[in-house]
Amino acid sequence: NAGVTQTPKFRILKIGQSMTLQCTQDMNHNYMYWYRQDPGMGLKLIYYSVGAGITDKGEVPNGYNVSRSTTEDFPLRLELAAPSQTSVYFCASSYQIGTGRGNEQFFGPGTRLTVL
Amino acid sequence: AQSVTQPDIHITVSEGASLELRCNYSYGATPYLFWYVQSPGQGLQLLLKYFSGDTLVQGIKGFEAEFKRSQSSFNLRKPSVHWSDAAEYFCAVEGITGGGNKLTFGTGTQLKVEL
């Protein structure tokens, strides 16, 4: 199993450009997440999905969009890149049955994005 | 809303010395608590978790953590640190709001190991 994979690893965008960060997991996990990590701030949840076709906002969703058409893929879209979106982005997945808690989240290696 | 505080931004220890990383949480009900480690340039990996039972939990790589409800703490410990333990460590608490097990992370503690 490759686990959670993310592409690209690095990207530089100009202000106003758009891009999609790709995330794929091969563990048949139903839950998927997008986080951003800024220095000294820990990880903040952007969006999450509890299954194909179902997504919801996290703590910092502004400026981002997501979709989940398959169990495996959970792309994150930046429509109009801004310097404030310079960050490291992590995708994660977990398997949850019903309202079960305490499930491990598996993280991808991250995408380092710079907006200039 | 839940929150996590990691009061130490950086910690330096000598190889072979013991380690304790502090974590304090705020959560209204029984907390589900996690410690994750992030090696340079990598994603996060789960070290251990606590949600019930014995308050001293064992994890991977020789780490353990103790849950103390009276102090709202979940400190991570290791008896003897190895140079490969140099990494950033995150404490997290799981909350449920509107569905899904969502983690709230602390700001992290950067561990440096001196040889």
Side-chain angles (χ1 to χ4, degrees), chain B residues 37 39 45-47 59-64 78 80 84-85 89:
Chain B
V37 61
S39 298
Q45 180 185 22
L46 179 68
L47 282 176
I60 61 171
K61 306 185 181 187
F63 285 92
E64 65 179 26
K78 187 170 185 178
S80 178
S84 60
D85 293 325
Y89 292 80

Side-chain angles (χ1 to χ4, degrees), chain A residues 31 33 35 37 40-45 48 50 56-59 88 90 94 96 99-110, chain B residues 27 30-32 34 36 38 41-46 49 51 88 90 94-108:
Chain A
Y31 281 62
Y33 312 81
Y35 295 91
Q37 182 183 30
M41 299 294 290
L43 281 77
K44 303 290 186 184
L45 182 65
Y48 69 99
V50 302
D56 204 352
K57 297 177 181 178
E59 187 179 355
V88 181
F90 288 99
S94 67
Q96 181 163 322
T99 57
R101 297 177 63 190
N103 303 293
E104 177 180 359
Q105 292 188 20
F106 294 81
F107 286 78
Chain B
Y27 189 68
T30 301
Y32 282 59
F34 303 77
Y36 281 84
Q38 183 182 28
Q42 303 295 317
L44 279 70
Q45 180 185 22
L46 179 68
K49 63 182 179 182
F51 49 91
E88 190 157 22
F90 292 94
E94 179 187 287
I96 296 180
T97 51
N101 55 332
K102 298 175 209 172
L103 294 179
T104 297
F105 287 88
T107 52

